[in-house]
Amino acid sequence: MKYDFETPVNRRNEYALKWSGPETELPMWVADMDFRTAPEITEGLLETVREGIFGYTGIPRIWYQAYRDWWHQEHGLSVSEDCFVFVSGVVPALSSIVRRITLPNEKVCIMPPVYGIFWNSVENQGRRVLECPLVYHRETLSYSMDPQKLEECLRDPQCTMLILCNPHNPTGQIWSREDLKTVADLAEKHGVTVVSDEIHCDITLPGRAYTPFAGVSESARRNSITCMSASKAFNLAGLHSAAVMIPNPHLRQRISRGLNNEELAESSTLGARSAVLALTRGRDWLLALRETLQKNRMLASRFIREEIPGILPVPAEATYLLWADIGNITADDQKFAAFLRTETGLRISPGSGFGNAGRGFIRINLACPETTLMDGLARLRDGTERFAQKMKSREP
């Protein structure tokens, strides 16, 4: 293979949040990868570093062109360059957008189990979260939206925004065009602005496409704000570079002013440059990454089904995250995750961190070399066995 996804990289000496724990711990929680980014990106950044000047950086026209061309070529979305606004990160963008589009004490709808930071981005701004939980079908290990519940939420006159996750974190669901069209129609009907977090959109199964929310209808295009970044797919999160795509010029003016007022629209020397390199030179690496992630997902799912039958891995179409049902073992995912960390050193994400709808689940990061993955799976098996024995010993 042209690219190396199998050689472990020691990240403990690079201030990595994920690897900041004890030497005995194996972290499989934070959503970044243990793979070096595309060498094409690294080489381009080294050219900039060797110049030795790290002054104030503007956003060059090529940055706008790179985003426009990538979304057109890869995802079939045609928008003009001026629809894109630079921002330092998706999370800061979400918080800023909530402040600009909603008023204090208004409600923002989300669909749990979902990325836990959504709650922070809403509640920290003095707004209220309105939950519209996804429907979990345990017999098929799948999720679906609940259109009736969604309309009930969006009908609430205090609900003025919906934050959508497409593809969905943590379940790995890719929403269909029909699902997204339903969301768009209901949002327009009830005057609710849709903010779509699409940061995981480039990490799909090989040959599996996702549909941008803004591309499903004219109302979706007119009534949406899409947050995107090359950081998740190309492992560039530490460079703080993202984009907000807003086709509606009136909405874009409001959001752009907010991002600029809050000093979120300025790039570091390497931030905008890294995105340009990823979107113009990184495609071959990304295709190889998808193959590796598919292999890891198949390996992990098979191992769990055969070696840890009490855990049910939920099939996914996107992300490098494995969402798994541990309801046959315990309903207390927090206790289970804490036990694994203490007893085996394996650190994973408890499902309740994604809302009450995530209770009884865990999330595991699969973006690592196979040797690391097998180590983690062995720890998961051993820890699960010990946990079950401990629970059994406490039975009367």
Side-chain angles (χ1 to χ4, degrees), residues 10-86:
N10 183 1
R11 300 182 59 197
R12 292 190 185 275
N13 298 321
E14 63 170 38
Y15 312 114
L17 171 66
K18 184 178 182 180
W19 289 86
S20 59
E23 292 281 343
T24 54
E25 280 194 356
L26 177 59
M28 300 181 79
W29 59 296
V30 174
D32 68 12
M33 297 188 282
D34 291 322
F35 303 130
R36 288 188 172 91
T37 191
E40 294 86 349
I41 298 174
T42 301
E43 290 162 8
L45 293 177
L46 285 173
E47 292 172 7
T48 302
V49 170
R50 289 191 188 102
E51 291 175 358
I53 299 177
F54 306 97
Y56 296 113
T57 303
I59 310 301
R61 184 181 177 192
I62 191 175
W63 181 87
Y64 299 93
Q65 294 171 335
Y67 268 100
R68 178 203 62 191
D69 292 348
W70 181 270
W71 253 261
H72 175 66
Q73 294 164 9
E74 298 295 321
H75 306 304
L77 180 66
S78 296
V79 294
S80 61
E81 294 175 20
D82 59 6
C83 292
F84 297 93
V85 180
F86 179 89

Side-chain angles (χ1 to χ4, degrees), residues 268-383:
S268 66
T269 304
L270 302 181
R273 172 76 168 145
S274 68
V276 171
L277 291 166
L279 300 178
T280 59
R281 304 185 190 178
R283 187 174 189 275
D284 287 346
W285 180 89
L286 180 62
L287 294 177
L289 170 71
R290 290 173 180 166
E291 297 286 348
T292 298
L293 294 177
Q294 181 186 41
K295 180 202 69 173
N296 281 5
R297 185 174 296 280
M298 293 174 63
L299 191 158
S301 298
R302 182 171 61 250
F303 183 98
I304 291 172
R305 286 194 300 267
E306 294 176 355
E307 302 284 338
I308 324 174
I311 296 179
L312 305 174
V314 175
E317 304 166 296
T319 81
Y320 47 70
L321 307 165
L322 176 68
W323 186 242
D325 182 337
I326 60 168
N328 292 332
I329 298 170
T330 178
D332 195 336
D333 53 279
Q334 293 277 357
K335 181 185 290 186
F336 181 70
F339 182 88
L340 288 179
R341 187 176 183 183
T342 300
E343 294 294 318
T344 73
L346 177 63
R347 189 174 181 186
I348 58 174
S349 299
S352 53
F354 303 87
N356 288 332
R359 294 188 184 280
F361 290 80
I362 55 174
R363 193 191 76 173
I364 305 172
N365 187 336
L366 304 176
C368 56
E370 185 176 322
T371 53
T372 304
L373 177 61
M374 293 308 299
D375 182 7
L377 292 172
R379 295 185 193 215
L380 178 63
R381 177 194 59 207
D382 297 345

Side-chain angles (χ1 to χ4, degrees), residues 34-235:
D34 291 322
F35 303 130
R36 288 188 172 91
T37 191
E40 294 86 349
I41 298 174
T42 301
E43 290 162 8
L45 293 177
L46 285 173
E47 292 172 7
T48 302
V49 170
R50 289 191 188 102
E51 291 175 358
I53 299 177
F54 306 97
Y56 296 113
T57 303
I59 310 301
R61 184 181 177 192
I62 191 175
W63 181 87
Y64 299 93
Q65 294 171 335
Y67 268 100
R68 178 203 62 191
D69 292 348
W70 181 270
W71 253 261
H72 175 66
Q73 294 164 9
E74 298 295 321
H75 306 304
L77 180 66
S78 296
V79 294
S80 61
E81 294 175 20
D82 59 6
C83 292
F84 297 93
V85 180
F86 179 89
V87 65
S88 59
V90 165
V91 171
L94 286 174
S95 297
S96 178
I97 292 166
V98 169
R99 287 191 292 272
R100 281 283 157 171
I101 300 299
T102 68
L103 295 174
N105 210 39
E106 286 187 337
K107 299 176 183 178
V108 178
C109 182
I110 63 175
M111 298 181 186
V114 74
Y115 184 38
I117 296 298
F118 284 5
W119 276 267
N120 298 347
S121 290
V122 173
E123 294 172 345
N124 288 349
Q125 322 314 319
R127 280 68 170 170
R128 291 180 288 164
V129 169
L130 180 60
E131 297 188 18
C132 181
L134 299 177
V135 179
Y136 176 50
H137 308 278
R138 200 167 196 242
E139 65 281 4
T140 57
L141 299 175
S142 62
Y143 283 86
S144 65
M145 295 183 185
D146 183 341
Q148 291 184 330
K149 176 65 175 177
L150 181 59
E151 178 154 30
E152 177 186 324
C153 290
L154 300 188
R155 187 188 297 123
D156 187 331
Q158 286 293 305
C159 180
T160 52
M161 176 182 289
L162 164 69
I163 302 180
L164 178 71
C165 197
N166 176 45
H168 193 268
N169 171 20
T171 69
Q173 176 93 34
I174 293 179
W175 300 119
S176 70
R177 179 173 289 273
E178 291 72 25
D179 288 328
L180 298 176
K181 179 71 163 50
T182 297
V183 172
D185 291 346
L186 291 176
E188 182 180 46
K189 177 180 178 181
H190 297 290
V192 174
T193 303
V194 178
V195 181
S196 188
D197 173 4
E198 303 191 1
I199 196 171
H200 291 274
C201 69
D202 289 309
I203 315 172
T204 60
L205 292 179
R208 182 69 171 89
Y210 104 108
T211 300
F213 179 77
V216 299
S217 68
E218 183 53 39
S219 67
R221 187 185 188 95
R222 182 176 57 249
N223 188 40
S224 67
I225 302 161
T226 302
C227 298
M228 53 184 62
S229 176
S231 65
K232 197 64 66 177
F234 294 93
N235 212 23

Side-chain angles (χ1 to χ4, degrees), residues 230-247:
S231 65
K232 197 64 66 177
F234 294 93
N235 212 23
L236 304 169
L239 294 179
H240 297 286
S241 176
V244 179
M245 192 271 293
I246 318 164

